[in-house]
Amino acid sequence: MTDTAIAPDALPAAFAAAGDLDAVNALLPQAGVGPGWAKPKPSVYPQPNRIFVPAHWRAADTRAALDSASRYVDTHMSERRNLIMVNPHPGNDYATARTLVAAYQLVLAGETARSHRHTPNALRLVLDAEPGAYTIVDGNSIPMAPGDVLLTPNWKWHGHDNRASSNAFWIDFLDVPFIHLIEPMFFEQFADWIEPAGDPQPDSPFRFAFAQTGPAVRAMAETRPGERLMELGPPHMTTIGLHLRHLSAGAALHDPRTTMNAIYAVIEGTGSMAAEGKRFSFSRGDVLVVPAWSASDWIADSDVTLLRVSDEPMLKMLGLLRSEQPD
């Protein structure tokens, strides 16, 4: 950049008088533009420029951390007592994958978590909950049982009411990073803390009860040897896709690279996943992330059921869903 500022009206004459390309480049910042012929880094590239990395979080660790934190953090101090699964790539401080975030949450016995609503879509996978634990969605008490998936679509009031005698523990998934990117973030707290709710609605359309979905995915025909894949819905969310993935004991599967970001939560079973030179052993309640354009290899030590949370429907809608073709 030139050391001396040039009046806007004088810029055309300055460009005309530039004696070489370096002189032109030096004047460009004063016109508020950058040279497309000398970009500091490429703006297009032959394939995705992967930044987020495969990672794994253990439920045992996070449950112990939340149990400890619950002695000091209540739902008045923080509406959601949760631990965010921050992808360990340099510079990241929130997202689990480019478009998605996951967090473990704990609600104590007899505790309520304030109702609120927001433009991000959200859902939860229940790990531990006894009868009497509810998520309240738009005034409806929806029971929570282990393995259940509960939806809180965007701008619907939702809060939590644990009337059981034991603590409730689950995993939240949201498209907050995507909303941060495109910016239509809105959030509102319910004025009277917790939204009044009527009788429990076990058959709510916002609940996929594992008592039904678990046997259903196990009874499906295989999508490929050792694997069964079942979409959850309707209802569907426009930005988040949900699938139950069942792996038979002994299955060994390779997933090619895809533009889809996927977070996997282990509902039952044990096994391992390898991606980008890292191998992670997993068990019930653990979470794994396979970011866009990362291949992964799965081995099931026992029968495994996973919840896959992805941005697949959004990519399909935009015509951006691609998978690497085998050689």
Side-chain angles (χ1 to χ4, degrees), residues 204-226:
S204 167
F206 297 133
R207 181 192 188 206
F208 300 107
F210 191 62
Q212 283 79 50
T213 61
V217 70
R218 289 189 288 270
M220 289 183 65
E222 291 187 331
T223 49
R224 51 181 167 158

Side-chain angles (χ1 to χ4, degrees), residues 52-53 55-59 62-63 66 82-89 92-98 100-105 125 127 169-174 177 263-266 285-289:
F52 284 77
V53 299
H56 168 234
W57 294 267
R58 291 181 358 117
T62 52
R63 179 61 189 266
L66 282 170
N82 61 16
L83 291 173
I84 300 162
M85 288 170 247
V86 179
N87 192 283
H89 84 74
N92 182 48
D93 61 4
Y94 179 69
T96 307
R98 173 72 75 182
L100 299 165
V101 66
Y104 287 99
Q105 183 171 170
L125 168 66
L127 295 178
F169 179 54
W170 63 78
I171 307 168
D172 293 313
F173 305 87
L174 304 94
I263 303 175
Y264 294 88
V266 184
D286 288 5
V287 171
L288 306 106
V289 62

Side-chain angles (χ1 to χ4, degrees), residues 131-296:
Y134 299 95
T135 284
I136 300 171
V137 183
D138 268 0
N140 298 305
S141 292
I142 303 177
M144 307 176 80
D148 287 0
V149 175
L150 279 69
L151 306 184
T152 52
N154 71 330
W155 212 239
K156 288 191 176 294
W157 293 112
H158 56 281
H160 310 298
D161 185 4
N162 187 9
R163 307 168 207 167
S165 58
S166 63
N167 299 342
F169 179 54
W170 63 78
I171 307 168
D172 293 313
F173 305 87
L174 304 94
D175 61 3
V176 169
F178 173 66
I179 301 301
H180 284 165
L181 180 66
I182 62 172
E183 298 193 352
M185 176 66 75
F186 294 89
F187 171 81
E188 184 179 352
Q189 293 174 321
F190 194 75
D192 296 326
W193 185 262
I194 191 78
E195 186 183 12
D199 294 334
Q201 293 195 4
D203 297 325
S204 167
F206 297 133
R207 181 192 188 206
F208 300 107
F210 191 62
Q212 283 79 50
T213 61
V217 70
R218 289 189 288 270
M220 289 183 65
E222 291 187 331
T223 49
R224 51 181 167 158
E227 178 193 57
R228 294 170 173 84
L229 190 67
M230 183 178 79
E231 184 177 16
L232 297 182
H236 300 286
M237 292 195 249
T238 54
T239 56
I240 301 176
L242 300 175
H243 291 79
L244 287 188
R245 187 183 189 192
H246 183 270
L247 307 180
S248 301
L253 298 169
H254 173 74
D255 292 342
R257 294 189 294 186
T258 170
T259 52
M260 175 183 71
N261 289 283
I263 303 175
Y264 294 88
V266 184
I267 299 175
E268 59 185 4
T270 59
S272 65
M273 186 274 286
E276 306 302 330
K278 300 176 182 178
R279 179 167 292 279
F280 309 103
S281 296
F282 61 77
S283 58
R284 181 182 181 273
D286 288 5
V287 171
L288 306 106
V289 62
V290 180
W293 219 241
S294 293
S296 58

